[in-house]
Amino acid sequence: RRNKFKGSMRVVILSRSARAADSPAWGLGTDAKLVEQMLREGNSAGTFRITSIDHIDPTSFYGSPRKPQAVDIQIHLEVPCRAAWSWASYNIVVVNPEWWPRDAWNWALSAADIVVFKSEHARRLFPTVEGARARVIPWRAAETPPAAKARKREFLYLIGASANKLAAAQVIVRAWKSSWPALHIVGTQAVLDSLPTATTDNVTLR
């Protein structure tokens, strides 16, 4: 497939953020925006040519206003969409080990043209993916990391827009002991308002 994309490419990003422009400024919405940004930067630099970039929710592939159509590349963010698979010449799957069912999505590991992992640790969790199709691409960060500060024995819990992280935080806040290190929980005001009152002074909601 080395010479497959000589012309301009049509790309679809499949994620539960149906449209990157309408998605939250965190979590998978940010991931979808970063992927689109990197594609547009590559197009501007002349590395490759892009005709279009669309965002589709994999859970409603056939029910979305945008009717299925043949494209060159589909990028599946975390959730591989079997219904969409045949509509692309090239399918790329970005794996999130935390949400990858043990067996249900293994078909995608063998069928994908490229399987992307966000860390070396995540890569090691999927040894059946041969090296030729595996890519480890650490998720995008600032080019210059912030200056290191003295470490503190504390915990930071970022909730974002995840319902599962919120549910876990509701349990953690009640269970945290005063003998444990400080815990800082960060979320939107609506998220913080839904959490129970901490029973110890070493839990901070921000």
Side-chain angles (χ1 to χ4, degrees):
R1 302 205 182 204
R2 180 176 52 190
N3 299 319
K4 176 175 285 293
F5 305 116
K6 292 182 178 179
S8 191
M9 298 180 293
R10 296 157 298 169
V11 179
V12 164
I13 299 171
L14 290 148
S15 77
R16 287 179 176 170
S17 300
R19 289 295 305 179
D22 301 328
S23 61
W26 52 74
L28 206 56
T30 295
D31 291 356
K33 290 176 182 177
L34 285 174
V35 170
E36 178 172 349
Q37 180 184 339
M38 288 185 284
L39 289 171
R40 294 197 182 282
E41 288 175 359
N43 182 66
S44 298
T47 306
F48 43 74
R49 288 187 290 167
I50 300 289
T51 299
S52 62
I53 301 174
D54 285 325
H55 295 260
I56 300 178
D57 186 338
T59 61
S60 59
F61 181 75
Y62 282 107
S64 66
R66 177 194 177 281
K67 301 303 180 183
Q69 54 187 278
V71 297
D72 298 296
I73 297 175
Q74 287 180 148
I75 302 173
H76 304 249
L77 293 184
E78 299 192 358
V79 180
C81 181
R82 192 189 289 267
W85 208 265
S86 62
W87 289 92
S89 301
Y90 208 83
N91 284 281
I92 299 172
V93 176
V94 180
V95 173
N96 180 353
E98 182 180 358
W99 300 114
W100 194 269
R102 189 174 185 87
D103 299 312
W105 293 348
N106 284 350
W107 63 268
L109 294 179
S110 58
D113 296 283
I114 295 292
V115 182
V116 176
F117 303 95
K118 300 181 187 179
S119 68
E120 291 288 352
H121 171 70
R123 170 69 181 100
R124 289 192 294 271
L125 295 176
F126 296 87
T128 59
V129 178
E130 62 271 22
R133 293 189 301 118
R135 302 289 187 277
V136 177
I137 305 177
W139 226 219
R140 195 162 181 165
E143 292 183 3
T144 304
K149 297 182 180 179
R151 291 188 177 184
K152 295 182 180 180
R153 187 171 171 75
E154 297 179 347
F155 290 93
L156 175 65
Y157 192 93
L158 305 175
I159 297 178
S162 170
N164 294 292
K165 290 179 181 177
L166 173 58
Q170 291 171 339
V171 175
I172 292 171
V173 167
R174 295 190 185 98
W176 204 259
K177 297 181 180 180
S178 58
S179 59
W180 293 352
L183 170 65
H184 304 282
I185 299 179
V186 178
T188 64
Q189 191 58 51
V191 165
L192 298 180
D193 289 343
S194 69
L195 294 177
T197 302
T199 58
T200 63
D201 295 333
N202 59 341
V203 176
T204 304
L205 305 182
R206 299 182 177 181

